[in-house]
């Protein structure tokens, strides 16, 4: 099996090879956010485009000017936030949908056509919905723990003698919650990888198997996941630092570009995790090939008195949808 | 006080009476028959019960008409957070008429379930008021009350509720004396009382081993506008009391560090492990104190124009690294107040830093004693430390020395102080960044005041009694932020220098007295030489909202009707420009309108703002580029700055910036949500 470094590298290679997935996803992310922001843009146009007061945003950033704008009677910022939230939900649904295609892309040794990509996406979609519900059930106590620790830290901030104790408890709780959440996410990621690898229909069975798989190989998997996460957080912090410290407030398009690059990197690290997980599973499969019963698909013909060997067909568990002949993957 | 004693000191008292007691007339040595009195009833001999001490002030003589002398001896039980005390209150009757009924405040009784304070707090905050009864109940119980020469009157105590009739509210009691106290006479109350402090709420109480004693003693009401003024303690009111002298002894465990109003005059260790610390205050109207064993004490000296002032900081150990920051803004505030408005006459100012969890004791003022508000993380670009210390110091002037009625005219201390806070902070830290200058984001004090005002501009007039505002929120936005914005806008009318002179005149004239709002407004008019009633009626007494807008700017070629028109040419084609200005709000205010043309010309118009709209027309070989109301942004009361201008050629930069940042934020939110997929 590949070591952790090898898996991380392999994952990066897979993302690079399938980078169109990243661009599609990023484009969807950007377009949906822009679409959700459109009503706000229209409203702001009437308020700021012909007003000298808008210079308070462009010459630096005056917080009181923003507060004044948001408090305009009839502005109703809540409705614009809802519009954006709606678009975020669409992006969420889109991400669920394309996860199957993404994992299939990473798994396949051949580049998928667009049709194959979306066919794979659709094939697994409802399994992801069922799995997501299980994921939320498992995450609920993790989030509950985080909430409880946060509440406790509030009390400590007020009542404990050391003033910073509440802060450290909050920070520790946040780190613990994050780690637990990452572990659960890794577990369910592996369940998804396994579903795609084996075309497993039973989500519960897949989640159970992934549990065993993940925790019996926890160290390798988790540190692979964590390393890539650290890259993502580092990129995020670096991007914010560049934005705040290096770019003048008047150069907002440059700011926007920097922030978009940061978001692209953030998204890429998520795909990188998926790719590395897929690479790990492939490596695992190679080291532990599945033992499956011999299944007779069709009557075998035993020619009489022949010395030529006959072929025995081995079938894997489950059944993948048949690819139409014209859709056979082409060598890259 | 007996007549014979009065004769023995009459020579001294005559001079004092001529200066400070206009309603008192003189008695002859024989005094068999009362001398002719200024008033129609007999008058007692000139008293000597209130000392003329000046040890706590940098002055050669008393600064106020001293009505009260509080001598208190209090013993703190640090474990039980309770206190037993005796109070000898000498009250000088300067009301001009005999008085046989005296009301007293017992503020600590507000922290009980059925009090008016709690009822209002629960109502206005629209949530269950966080009142953990086991910890936060407090009380102030009178054990006995005697009046010198009149005996024990404990059974005469009668609780009253002059504001809302709440029979369960025990924050005011009155006592009727068997015989009246004559004008000019002193009366001495000996009161024994017991305080039980609760966990800190609304400025007073304890948190762990910190304790702040505010409003902790029975305090006599004020004779105000020919009647006793002694309001119940409300959620949205503060305090009102007479000037006098305070001599307070606090007996506390020896390990406690003590801070208080006035100056420390003695500290004696007692054999039982306690110590008695004695404080003295001159020409102050309240007394607060604090104890905590592990305060970090920092001192420095400020040279005011009346003499040296000790600046004493009591910091939490975890905030000791912020002492320099506190001291710096205190000094800067003191210097500006000294230069702009008048001198700080007391010999000391004490600043207390409450602990985490005790924030309700923070951001408060008492004469010569203030509390700050900070925590362990306060980046330099966030100027909250500076704002609080400056604000509470400012109250030494607006409330401490100019002792307005905080119950009835909260705007006079909070609002004027909020205005001067912005002036000082802008001068110290820079306009437009005096509140926040962090990570590229900035905010100025006046901007913050405007936002506060704009949140509820038309609910209550400034002149409403503090406890009669619609709710706690409107009390805050109106008393603080609307008043500050009103005064800032008033600068536009009278000028910045005149405004400063007016405040200085007001301070110097009314310090150590109880002026009314009308006194302040008249002072501004006198100093400015203008009749400002049109402004005050709307801004101070009314709830009109000020909002002017540029409704339309249009430039059209004058030869539009011709056939085969030549192409438009800059500097050649003649345009007819119309600028329409509209008064959206009900507040009438004169405005300047600045019109800019594309040939560099400008036209400045002045409109009285009375009608609902006005139109300006121009025929020029130039198009209008923009029209702007109040280009200097001096009319803070204008509710909407975004409609004050119109650019003919729009500039989308501001919108694009906001929208693009919003898009980035939503992209990130979307990706975070997708993590659950």
């Amino acid at each position: 099996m590949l070591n952790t470094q090898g898996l991380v590298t392999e994952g990066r290679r897979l993302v690079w090879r399938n980078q169109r997935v990243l661009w599609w996803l990023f484009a969807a992310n950007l377009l949906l956010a822009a679409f959700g922001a459109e009503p706000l843009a229209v409203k702001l146009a009437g308020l700021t485009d012909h007003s000298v007061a808008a210079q308070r945003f462009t010459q630096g950033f005056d917080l009181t000017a923003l507060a004044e704008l948001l408090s305009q009677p009839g502005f109703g910022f809540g409705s614009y936030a809802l519009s954006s939230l709606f678009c975020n939900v669409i992006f969420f649904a889109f991400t669920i949908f394309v996860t199957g295609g993404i994992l299939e892309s990473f798994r396949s040794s051949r580049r998928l056509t667009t049709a194959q990509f979306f066919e794979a996406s659709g094939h697994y979609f409802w399994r992801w919905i069922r799995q997501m519900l299980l994921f939320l059930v498992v995450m609920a106590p993790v989030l509950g723990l985080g909430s409880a620790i946060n509440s406790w830290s509030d009390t400590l901030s007020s009542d404990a003698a050391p003033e910073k104790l509440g802060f450290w408890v909050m920070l520790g709780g946040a780190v613990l919650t994050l780690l637990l959440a990452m572990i659960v996410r890794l577990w369910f990621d592996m369940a998804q990888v396994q579903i795609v690898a084996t075309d497993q229909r039973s989500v519960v069975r897949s989640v159970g198997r992934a549990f065993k798989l993940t925790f019996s190989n926890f160290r390798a998997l988790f540190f692979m996941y964590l390393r890539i996460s650290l890259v993502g957080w580092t990129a995020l912090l670096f991007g914010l630092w560049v934005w705040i410290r290096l770019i003048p407030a008047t150069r907002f398009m440059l700011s926007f570009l920097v922030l978009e690059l940061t978001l692209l990197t953030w998204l890429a690290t998520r795909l990188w995790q998926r790719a590395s997980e897929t690479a790990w599973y492939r490596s695992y499969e190679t080291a532990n090939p599945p033992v499956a019963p011999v299944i007779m698909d069709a009557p075998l013909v035993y020619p009489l008195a022949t010395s030529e060997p006959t072929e025995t067909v081995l079938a894997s568990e489950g059944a993948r949808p048949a690819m139409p002949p014209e859709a056979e993957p082409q060598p890259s | 006080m007996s007549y014979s004693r009065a004769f023995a000191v009459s020579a001294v008292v005559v001079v004092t009476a001529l200066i400070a007691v206009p309603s008192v007339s003189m008695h002859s040595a024989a005094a068999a028959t009362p001398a002719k009195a200024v008033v129609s009833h007999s008058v007692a001999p000139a008293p000597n019960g209130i000392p003329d001490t000046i040890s706590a002030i940098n002055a050669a003589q008393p600064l106020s008409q001293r009505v009260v002398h509080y001598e208190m001896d209090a013993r703190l039980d640090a474990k039980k957070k309770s206190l037993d005390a005796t109070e000898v209150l000498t009250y000088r009757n300067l009301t001009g008429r005999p008085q046989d009924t005296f009301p007293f405040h017992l503020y600590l009784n507000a922290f009980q379930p059925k009090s008016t304070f709690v009822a209002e707090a629960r109502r206005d905050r629209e949530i269950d008021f966080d009142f953990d009864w086991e910890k936060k109940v407090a009380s102030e119980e009178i054990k006995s009350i005697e009046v010198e020469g009149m005996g024990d009157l404990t059974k005469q105590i009668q609780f009253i509720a002059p504001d809302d009739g709440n029979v369960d509210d025990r924050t005011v009691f009155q006592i009727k004396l068997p015989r009246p106290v004559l004008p000019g006479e002193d009366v001495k109350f000996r009161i024994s009382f017991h305080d039980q402090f609760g966990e800190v709420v609304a400025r007073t109480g304890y948190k762990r081993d910190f304790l702040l004693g505010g409003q902790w003693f029975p305090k006599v009401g004020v004779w105000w506008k020919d009647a006793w003024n002694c309001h119940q303690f409300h959620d949205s009111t503060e305090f009102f009391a007479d000037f006098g002298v305070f001599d307070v002894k606090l007996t506390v465990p020896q390990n406690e560090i003590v801070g208080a109003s006035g100056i420390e005059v003695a500290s004696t260790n007692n054999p039982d492990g306690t110590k008695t610390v004695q404080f003295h205050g001159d020409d102050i109207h309240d007394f607060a104190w604090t104890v905590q064993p592990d305060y970090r004490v920092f001192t420095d000296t400020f040279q005011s124009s009346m003499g040296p002032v000790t600046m004493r900081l009591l910091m939490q150990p975890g905030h000791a690294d912020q002492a320099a920051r506190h001291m710096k803004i205190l000094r800067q505030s003191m210097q500006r107040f000294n230069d702009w408005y008048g001198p700080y006459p007391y010999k000391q100012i004490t600043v207390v830093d409450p602990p985490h969890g005790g924030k309700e004791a923070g951001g408060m003022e008492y004469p010569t004693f203030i509390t700050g508000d900070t925590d362990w993380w306060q980046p330099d670009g966030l100027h909250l430390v500076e704002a609080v210390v400056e604000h509470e110091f400012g109250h030494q002037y607006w409330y401490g020395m100019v002792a307005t009625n905080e119950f009835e005219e909260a705007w006079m201390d909070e609002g004027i102080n909020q205005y001067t806070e912005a002036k000082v902070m802008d001068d110290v830290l820079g306009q437009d960044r005096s509140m926040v200058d962090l990570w590229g984001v900035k905010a100025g004090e006046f901007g913050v005041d405007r936002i506060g005002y704009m949140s509820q501009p038309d609910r209550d007039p400034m002149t409403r009694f503090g406890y009669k505002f619609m709710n706690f929120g409107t009390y805050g936005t109106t008393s603080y932020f609307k008043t500050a914005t009103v005064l800032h806008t008033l600068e536009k009318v009278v000028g910045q220098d005149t405004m400063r002179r007016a405040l200085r005149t007001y301070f110097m004239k009314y310090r150590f007295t109880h002026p009314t709002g009308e006194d302040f407004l008249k002072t501004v008019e006198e100093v400015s030489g203008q009749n400002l009633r049109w402004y005050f009626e709307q801004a101070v007494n009314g709830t009109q909202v000020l909002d002017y807008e540029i409704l339309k700017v249009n430039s059209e070629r004058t030869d539009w009707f011709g056939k085969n028109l030549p192409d438009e040419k800059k500097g050649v084609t003649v345009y007819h420009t119309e600028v329409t200005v509209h008064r959206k709000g009900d507040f009438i205010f004169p405005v300047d309108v600045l019109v800019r043309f594309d040939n560099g010309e400008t036209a400045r118009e002045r409109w009285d703002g009375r009608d609902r709209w006005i139109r300006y027309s121009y025929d020029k070989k130039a198009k209008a580029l923009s029209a702007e109301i109040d280009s200097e942004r001096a009319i803070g009361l204008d509710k909407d700055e975004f409609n004050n201008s119109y650019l003919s050629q729009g500039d989308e930069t501001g919108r694009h910036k906001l929208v693009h940042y919003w898009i980035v934020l939503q992209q990130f939110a979307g990706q975070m949500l997708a993590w659950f997929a």
Side-chain angles (χ1 to χ4, degrees), chain A residues 158-229:
Chain A
S158 170
D159 294 345
E163 185 176 0
K164 293 183 190 174
L165 182 59
F167 169 75
W168 292 122
V169 166
M170 187 263 305
L171 191 64
V175 170
L176 177 65
T177 306
L178 186 63
L179 286 173
L180 288 174
M182 284 167 64
I183 291 170
V184 174
R185 182 69 264 170
L186 173 64
W187 164 20
F188 278 75
D189 279 359
M190 293 311 298
Q192 289 180 336
V193 168
Q194 199 254 350
I195 284 174
V196 169
T198 61
D199 201 14
Q200 170 65 262
R201 290 215 168 262
S202 169
V203 167
V204 174
R205 194 178 298 164
S206 173
V207 167
R209 284 189 181 149
F211 182 88
K212 287 182 202 162
L213 194 66
T214 304
F215 290 96
S216 56
N217 299 278
F218 181 76
R219 195 171 163 172
L221 279 170
F222 185 72
F223 280 107
M224 173 191 76
Y225 189 95
L226 184 63
R227 281 173 70 171
I228 300 170
S229 297

Side-chain angles (χ1 to χ4, degrees), chain B residues 347-403:
Chain B
K347 286 188 174 173
Q348 179 160 314
I349 176 79
T350 300
V351 182
V352 178
D353 168 32
H356 60 284
K359 294 296 180 118
E360 291 228 23
M364 184 54 194
E365 73 278 2
Y366 304 89
T368 73
F369 180 97
I370 64 175
T371 60
D373 190 356
T374 188
D375 53 41
W376 63 272
W377 187 71
Q378 282 291 331
D380 285 341
L382 197 59
H383 303 141
L384 293 177
V385 167
E386 286 79 9
V388 174
V389 172
E390 196 291 331
H391 185 92
E392 302 314 327
F393 175 75
H395 273 308
Q396 298 304 300
Y397 285 64
W398 325 117
Y399 145 85
M401 288 182 271
V402 179

Side-chain angles (χ1 to χ4, degrees), chain B residues 561-580:
Chain B
F561 49 85
K563 292 186 179 175
N564 301 318
L565 290 174
D567 291 340
E568 291 185 34
K569 197 169 176 187
K570 194 173 173 180
V572 174
T573 309
V574 179
Y575 295 91
H576 177 74
T577 296
E578 287 186 347
V579 176
T580 310

Side-chain angles (χ1 to χ4, degrees), chain B residues 133-147:
Chain B
W133 289 108
E134 289 176 1
K135 289 182 188 173
K136 295 198 175 181
V137 68
S139 62
E140 195 173 343
E141 183 193 347
I142 303 291
K143 293 286 184 60
S144 67
I145 179 166
E146 293 174 29
V147 177

